[in-house]
Amino acid sequence: MTRILFVCLGNICRSPLVEAVAREEFARAGVAAEFASAGTGDYHVGHAADPRTIASAAAHGYDVSAHRARQLDVADFAHFDAVLGMDQANLRNIQAVCPAQYASRTGLFLAYAGVAAPLDVPDPYFGGADGFERVIELARAGVHGLIARCANDA
């Protein structure tokens, strides 16, 4: 079974949203996988997802209500088959703490999923509802790419 960790900055907007979309869409497709999310920063450790994330997810049939933010841990690199950043800055932070033997497990979520450029999932934190809608769109596109990739690898 494939194990994927989605990573953004604070683990309250993008990565928990992508995690929720992945859980639901993989289950619908009948493809077994394990998902989690984390942040590169410790700003929100233990906090629920941003209320706008929860609302946007719920409006599209995804549930992030039980989410609690956590920080990326060096042990994650051994556990997960892929540690995927939401944007270039997160990827640099991931790679800065990644043990050398796991470097091939890191990448950008959208690139790993085979989505065409742009490859950064924009951070909706300082914007309005439209930013969260854009993250949902990108999450769906990326997750469907991951489903195809995992189905081909099986």
Side-chain angles (χ1 to χ4, degrees), residues 40-102:
T40 57
D42 64 356
Y43 320 109
H44 303 288
V45 170
H47 296 174
D50 185 290
R52 298 166 297 172
T53 299
I54 295 169
S56 182
H60 291 277
Y62 305 110
D63 184 10
V64 296
S65 62
H67 175 77
R68 294 296 175 265
R70 73 176 188 87
Q71 189 173 16
L72 178 67
D73 186 275
V74 72
D76 289 327
F77 295 101
H79 180 76
F80 290 95
D81 301 306
V83 178
L84 305 177
M86 295 294 112
D87 61 32
Q88 294 288 341
N90 294 137
L91 181 58
R92 283 190 299 275
N93 291 338
I94 290 165
Q95 291 170 334
V97 298
C98 179
Q101 71 265 34
Y102 300 118

Side-chain angles (χ1 to χ4, degrees), residues 3 19 29 43 48 57 59 61-62 82 87 92 105 114-115 118 141 153:
R3 296 172 307 219
E19 177 188 358
Y43 320 109
Y62 305 110
D87 61 32
R92 283 190 299 275
R105 296 182 181 191
V115 175
D153 291 347

